[in-house]
Amino acid sequence: MSAASDIPTAGVRTTAIGTHFGSFLVDSRDGEVVAVRGHPTDPEPSHLGESLRHFAENRVMRPAVRQSWLRDGPGAATELRGDDPFVEVEWDTALDLVAAELARVRDDHGNASVFGGSYGWGSAGRFGLASSQQHRFMRFFGGCTDQKGTYSSAAAEAIFPYMVGTGYHAGLARQTSWSVICEHTELFVCFGGMRASNSHVTYGGQGPHHHNDWVARASKAGVQFLNVGPLRDDLDKSADARWLSIRPGTDVALMAGIIHTLVTDGLADEEFLTTYCHGWDRLRAHVLGGGLAAACGDWRGPTPWANAVDYDTPKTAQWASEVTGVDASDIIALAHEMARKRTLVNLSLSTQRAHHGEQPYWMALALACVLGQVGLPGGGYAFSFGTQGNTGAGQTRARIPGLPVPMRQPGPPTIAVSRITEMLEGPREPFDFDGRTGRFPDVRLVYWSGGNPFHHHQDLNRLMQAWQRPETIVVQEPFWSSVARRADIVLPATTPLERNDIGGAETMLIAMAAVAEPVGESRDDYWIFARLAERLGFGEQFTEGRTADEWVEVIYEIHRAADPEAPPYEEFRREGYVMAPGMALMGDPEQVFLEAFRSDPDGKPLHTPSGRIQLWNDKIAEYGYDDCPPHPAWMEPFERLGGAGSDRWPLHLVSNQPVARLHSQFDHAAPSQATKVAGREPVRIHPETAAARGISDGDVVRLYNDRGACLAGAVLDDSLLPEAVQLSTGAWYDPAPDGTCRAGNPNTLTADVGTSRLGQGPSAHTCLVEVERYEGKPPPVESYAPPEILPLRDSRATAGNQTPNRSPCSV
Ligand SMILES: Nc1nc2c(c(=O)[nH]1)N[C@H]1C(S)=C(S)[C@@H](COP(=O)(O)OP(=O)(O)OC[C@H]3O[C@@H](n4cnc5c(=O)[nH]c(N)nc54)[C@H](O)[C@@H]3O)O[C@H]1N2
Ligand SMILES: Nc1nc2c(c(=O)[nH]1)N[C@H]1C(S)=C(S)[C@@H](COP(=O)(O)OP(=O)(O)OC[C@H]3O[C@@H](n4cnc5c(=O)[nH]c(N)nc54)[C@H](O)[C@@H]3O)O[C@H]1N2
Ligand SMILES: [Mo]
């Protein structure tokens, strides 16, 4: 971050910006950012702010159409997506093409043939948020095939209502607060750690950064942190944490082993379990290995999950040790320590972004129940601490208003967010999702703004194949990102630095003001959708006759109506930000998760069928899934260390969130590029693992498995499990002709398998690989330079040939 004294003052203008990683002051001169400073309200601004200086680099300057598509129309040479050059066109031409194509696909094939789920983080800004813009547009368009859930927490979102009768996100805001933890918690067990770098971020707007401060305060107050996971540095040094290194993907077995120990050593809180839980008898029978009949109680329906669940083996510490790689004596000691102390059991989202990812969230709740501490101050169940910055802030956040998005139309289907490749591969194929069945639509047109499937999706080689299926792919993007390069029509979007908006963080609203004119011919997402809507006949509905700036004011007024203390709009803009007391601390700053339920289980029951915590759920039993039993259980994932696949692929790939950027955003810019090793994404390898393979620090290495390969720069580090390698997400996908990603994108290696038929979430963290030294001259990385572009000048000269032969341009 820039220090105030570094900033030249002559001609400098300061504006504010709200981002997913905090609020900042941006000093600019003549449209160029000269410094990015933390907002005065932020005690510990994120280094991620520095990337904003690079907003003008690697931009899509003009609307561009893939050459084959422009020449031969929809569906032309789709195997050339990503290889064809682009031809720049005038905005009117581009908008006519896109509108005509949307109309053609809708009229010929129906709205379901347009896929507009458009998952992704885009940029924060209550009005500008690209996904809301697109969803509003698509609703007036008559609907489209949509997506449900998130890559972040799909499996947790799925299982939450079945276990506690509330949504995951609602639960998140009701977490036990840090102030209570500091005072009461003795042992804070963190499955998947609590990564300091991850806590910089909160979707939609991170407020002041307090996470590190809370961790340090808790540690000082005597809270003992235990990091359970493959990386020592998943918990910051300031926490003075102990580290229990475990094979990734085996947490549920560890939890089962702890529960078994507690039960057999008489430490299970039977009174809590019978008063507050439904199904404990069955779960106990399962953990003790009492057989299928005992574990299923009076359930008389089919039990297809019994093929995946072992009902006969007692889940002893010894058994758990064989699965997890943790010593049995450590498991027993941990069980005893947990029972002795006020213990809070926390899960990071990483544990559920894996095969059978519903289970860790459910089994950890069961463990907290066996300890009998759920609802006690500082004890019980916690989740997602360390996965977003404001967890534990002790508040129920009021919704900060954004662009209104009309209700979804009935009709076009909704798929689980991460089932996109399956959808493209298998039109009309059936799918299961959270108790319902559906059929994938026959998608002809894909529309994306504010997200990057060639960042977020697993098994990119497989996605590349499926990506050839649609006839037309439209992408709205500021940058020549890996998804923009694989579009047929790229519409250049502005970044938040080029528009006015409102930033919303949990305790304040920020008046965001443009720093620069739009780069090149880029336009706001709103401008683009408004013009398309006009061409398609619903312009007035989409815009309601308002300019972008008028919308920003309207959104502020919606907030003000709910918060009478908020000043008039003009004053808000003049001041640059406003604390929103009506928005902050809606809940109890000293809240304890499920405290009310604990104090009065009959008067304040949970919204579950039993009114209790469900350790068994009949609804899930009725679904009859073979990969999601009606109670939490350990099931073998499709691959893991010490299990399936490990004979061929001896290393586990940890593809966690990057420290130096948000996902793939600004990977092209200096702050992220400065972290590269040998020009590629760094991969951390344990020195023993490296030595056995002749790999030295700084070498280019090749990671590979049956699904794909990528190159990365070796960093030797002993702070990880020797059988793990760590390659963060976000390097811009750069496949060589053989599919090897030269930049180091881990999603060339991950598997595209749903967590289960219930959650259908992504299983990114279930992944085995091998690594070798790259011999010979490594190929250069090409994804950070724009693709081949035939400039507007040339395309004007040949304009006569360019009317696509299958697109009626009549709208
Ligand atoms: N292997 C592996 N893969 C993972 C994960 C993992 O743990 N391991 N994690 C997953 C998770 S949790 C997530 S949330 C996803 C994240 O996946 P995404 O959210 O898709 O990733 P981003 O890189 O943030 O993509 C946002 C895109 O929006 C663009 N953009 C920014 N601002 C604007 C704007 O104003 N308008 C428009 N039109 N575009 C804009 C950016 O340039 C960028 O290309 O990745 C998932 N993928
Ligand atoms: N700086 C930065 N912060 C971010 C993001 C970013 O891109 N950059 N992305 C944000 C987003 S969208 C999200 S969803 C959150 C994600 O938050 P998380 O899902 O918690 O984050 P990850 O980085 O995927 O994983 C955290 C750690 O879990 C460990 N781990 C992986 N698999 C397992 C396992 O099976 N068992 C155990 N015990 N540990 C395991 C890994 O060592 C990893 O470092 O982070 C957010 N924070
Ligand atoms: Mo995420």
Side-chain angles (χ1 to χ4, degrees):
M1 215 57 16
S2 322
S5 56
D6 298 342
I7 301 156
T9 45
V12 168
R13 188 170 148 254
T14 300
T15 54
I17 181 166
T19 76
H20 300 298
F21 34 87
S23 303
F24 300 90
L25 296 179
V26 179
D27 298 310
S28 62
R29 200 196 292 111
D30 303 328
E32 201 173 311
V33 177
V34 293
V36 179
R37 292 177 284 144
H39 196 269
T41 55
D42 193 344
E44 208 180 333
S46 172
H47 61 271
L48 295 173
E50 197 59 22
S51 58
L52 300 172
R53 294 176 77 136
H54 304 272
F55 76 97
E57 295 167 15
N58 205 3
R59 292 289 292 269
V60 182
M61 300 303 274
R62 282 189 199 86
V65 185
R66 189 169 65 85
Q67 190 177 43
S68 306
W69 196 100
L70 188 60
R71 193 179 49 224
D72 301 326
T78 58
E79 72 285 359
L80 293 181
R81 286 188 180 126
D83 289 328
D84 247 351
F86 282 94
V87 182
E88 289 183 337
V89 298
E90 307 272 9
W91 262 112
D92 275 338
T93 311
L95 292 166
D96 287 344
L97 290 173
V98 173
E101 187 52 6
L102 279 165
R104 176 187 76 86
V105 171
R106 179 187 57 191
D107 298 345
D108 292 359
H109 305 284
N111 286 71
S113 286
V114 174
F115 179 68
S118 195
Y119 179 80
W121 279 49
S123 294
R126 302 310 301 164
F127 172 67
L129 195 68
S131 54
S132 333
Q133 295 281 348
Q134 176 158 334
H135 283 115
R136 182 177 167 88
F137 173 86
M138 286 296 173
R139 301 288 152 85
F140 290 123
F141 174 68
C144 64
T145 294
D146 208 340
Q147 284 164 309
K148 182 168 187 283
T150 63
Y151 276 72
S152 312
S153 50
E157 290 164 46
I159 200 68
F160 239 77
Y162 294 100
M163 52 186 216
V164 288
T166 178
Y168 165 79
H169 293 283
L172 197 56
R174 294 188 167 77
Q175 297 257 356
T176 299
S177 56
W178 273 111
S179 52
V180 174
I181 292 167
C182 286
E183 202 177 329
H184 298 281
T185 306
E186 292 174 276
L187 180 63
F188 201 159
V189 182
C190 303
F191 290 92
M194 200 186 276
R195 273 179 85 72
S197 57
N198 283 359
S199 72
H200 289 221
V201 167
T202 295
Y203 180 71
Q206 164 67 36
H209 290 84
H210 291 298
H211 175 86
N212 289 341
D213 184 41
W214 279 120
V215 171
R217 276 157 73 173
S219 177
K220 221 165 150 200
V223 179
Q224 171 68 224
F225 288 88
L226 177 66
N227 167 23
V228 183
L231 305 186
R232 182 189 291 137
D233 49 16
D234 278 340
L235 248 161
D236 197 59
K237 278 200 183 67
S238 68
D240 197 19
R242 281 146 58 195
W243 177 34
L244 187 67
S245 111
I246 184 176
R247 290 177 181 147
T250 66
D251 304 82
V252 173
L254 176 61
M255 295 168 194
I258 295 172
I259 292 176
H260 185 279
T261 306
L262 292 168
V263 172
T264 51
D265 291 356
L267 295 170
D269 189 335
E270 295 285 346
E271 198 192 323
F272 181 90
L273 287 158
T274 41
T275 314
Y276 294 95
C277 302
H278 168 78
W280 166 239
D281 284 354
R282 301 176 192 189
L283 184 61
R284 182 176 43 205
H286 163 57
V287 170
L288 295 178
L292 176 67
C296 290
D298 56 4
W299 174 255
R300 294 287 168 264
T303 56
W305 60 84
N307 294 327
V309 179
D310 175 352
Y311 283 99
D312 300 323
T313 309
K315 310 297 176 294
T316 61
Q318 187 53 47
W319 168 87
S321 171
E322 278 155 29
V323 179
T324 61
V326 178
D327 281 348
S329 57
D330 289 342
I331 296 175
I332 293 166
L334 177 59
H336 289 199
E337 185 185 357
M338 289 173 110
R340 208 168 50 239
K341 292 182 172 167
R342 183 57 62 88
T343 300
L344 190 56
V345 179
N346 178 59
L347 294 137
S348 102
L349 283 174
S350 63
T351 58
Q352 55 85 64
R353 214 174 299 113
H355 197 209
H356 304 139
E358 297 78 13
Q359 301 308 317
Y361 266 60
W362 204 0
M363 191 65 96
L365 177 62
L367 170 56
C369 291
V370 174
L371 292 166
Q373 299 188 25
V374 171
L376 290 183
Y381 187 59
F383 48 94
S384 306
F385 273 82
T387 66
Q388 63 175 53
N390 63 3
T391 312
Q395 53 187 243
T396 307
R397 285 202 294 167
R399 254 179 73 81
I400 306 165
L403 181 69
V405 176
M407 294 289 284
R408 244 178 65 78
Q409 291 90 339
T414 299
I415 65 160
V417 68
S418 66
R419 297 300 94 216
I420 174 178
T421 297
E422 284 172 30
M423 175 192 76
L424 296 176
E425 285 173 349
R428 291 174 289 278
E429 289 291 320
F431 65 79
D432 286 305
F433 179 28
D434 197 10
R436 61 188 178 84
T437 52
R439 283 189 185 275
F440 287 121
D442 182 7
V443 167
R444 309 293 178 112
L445 187 154
V446 170
Y447 202 115
W448 226 294
S449 60
N452 183 354
F454 285 93
H455 162 73
H456 61 234
H457 197 60
Q458 284 58 63
D459 199 347
L460 291 180
N461 289 335
R462 189 174 153 198
L463 177 62
M464 273 290 276
Q465 292 295 314
W467 198 250
Q468 295 179 19
R469 296 277 187 115
E471 289 157 15
T472 298
I473 295 174
V474 182
V475 170
Q476 258 164 239
E477 248 290 340
F479 302 98
W480 276 114
S481 69
S482 45
V483 67
R485 300 170 85 98
R486 286 169 180 77
D488 296 320
I489 304 178
V490 185
L491 304 177
T494 53
T495 71
L497 288 140
E498 298 143 75
R499 53 196 191 219
N500 299 331
D501 206 333
I502 291 182
E506 62 262 28
T507 50
M508 65 178 179
L509 297 182
I510 303 258
M512 295 163 62
V515 167
E517 292 296 314
V519 172
E521 290 178 18
S522 64
R523 294 288 178 269
D524 297 354
D525 293 294
Y526 179 67
W527 185 95
I528 300 171
F529 283 127
R531 266 140 199 87
L532 289 173
E534 207 174 283
R535 282 169 168 76
L536 288 160
F538 56 89
E540 183 64 25
Q541 280 166 289
F542 180 78
T543 63
E544 297 180 26
R546 295 192 182 105
T547 64
D549 285 353
E550 284 165 356
W551 268 111
V552 173
E553 184 170 351
V554 164
I555 288 169
Y556 182 80
E557 291 302 340
I558 297 173
H559 165 70
R560 202 157 80 100
D563 185 354
E565 289 175 51
Y569 184 65
E570 283 313 316
E571 192 180 326
F572 163 62
R573 287 225 79 93
R574 219 173 28 248
E575 293 297 318
Y577 69 99
V578 47
M579 297 314 282
M583 214 161 65
L585 305 179
M586 294 275 292
D588 178 357
E590 304 259 302
Q591 70 195 8
V592 172
F593 187 57
L594 297 182
E595 187 179 42
F597 166 63
R598 182 176 187 120
S599 63
D600 185 5
D602 294 321
K604 293 182 178 131
L606 301 181
H607 298 294
T608 55
S610 63
R612 303 291 187 257
I613 293 169
Q614 305 264 160
L615 301 179
W616 171 282
N617 193 304
D618 271 337
K619 262 253 148 344
I620 298 182
E622 283 160 20
Y623 298 158
Y625 293 152
D626 52 1
D627 54 3
C628 189
H631 58 83
W634 162 253
M635 286 169 283
E636 282 291 342
F638 58 81
E639 61 194 41
R640 70 167 174 93
L641 292 176
S646 60
D647 48 339
R648 288 183 65 210
W649 310 109
L651 303 172
H652 179 99
L653 177 72
V654 177
S655 57
N656 57 0
Q657 308 291 334
V659 175
R661 56 182 178 263
L662 176 65
H663 312 139
S664 68
Q665 299 195 36
F666 290 104
D667 184 38
H668 59 280
S672 179
Q673 289 295 317
T675 68
K676 303 286 175 180
V677 172
R680 292 146 228 273
E681 189 61 20
V683 57
R684 286 202 290 170
I685 308 175
H686 193 280
E688 285 168 19
T689 308
R693 290 162 177 78
I695 295 168
S696 310
D697 213 49
D699 280 351
V700 174
V701 295
R702 177 172 168 268
L703 293 98
Y704 61 101
N705 60 20
D706 282 334
R707 294 177 289 265
C710 70
L711 306 186
V715 176
L716 273 44
D717 187 344
D718 68 2
S719 54
L720 64 164
L721 180 75
E723 297 81 30
V725 289
Q726 181 243 314
L727 176 71
S728 290
T729 62
W732 282 14
Y733 180 54
D734 186 34
D738 72 351
T740 302
C741 173
R742 295 164 290 203
N745 187 313
N747 281 324
T748 50
L749 300 158
T750 53
D752 182 8
V753 175
T755 51
S756 79
R757 291 156 75 195
L758 188 89
Q760 292 287 15
S763 297
H765 282 313
T766 304
C767 183
L768 296 181
V769 299
E770 178 54 291
V771 59
E772 66 184 12
R773 194 164 172 269
Y774 186 85
E775 303 295 345
K777 193 173 176 294
V781 178
E782 293 178 4
S783 50
Y784 300 113
E788 189 188 343
I789 297 168
L790 308 177
L792 185 58
R793 209 175 42 245
D794 301 353
S795 64
R796 278 193 189 118
T798 55
N801 303 329
Q802 283 168 22
T803 313
N805 54 17
R806 283 162 56 195
S807 276
C809 284
S810 55
V811 280

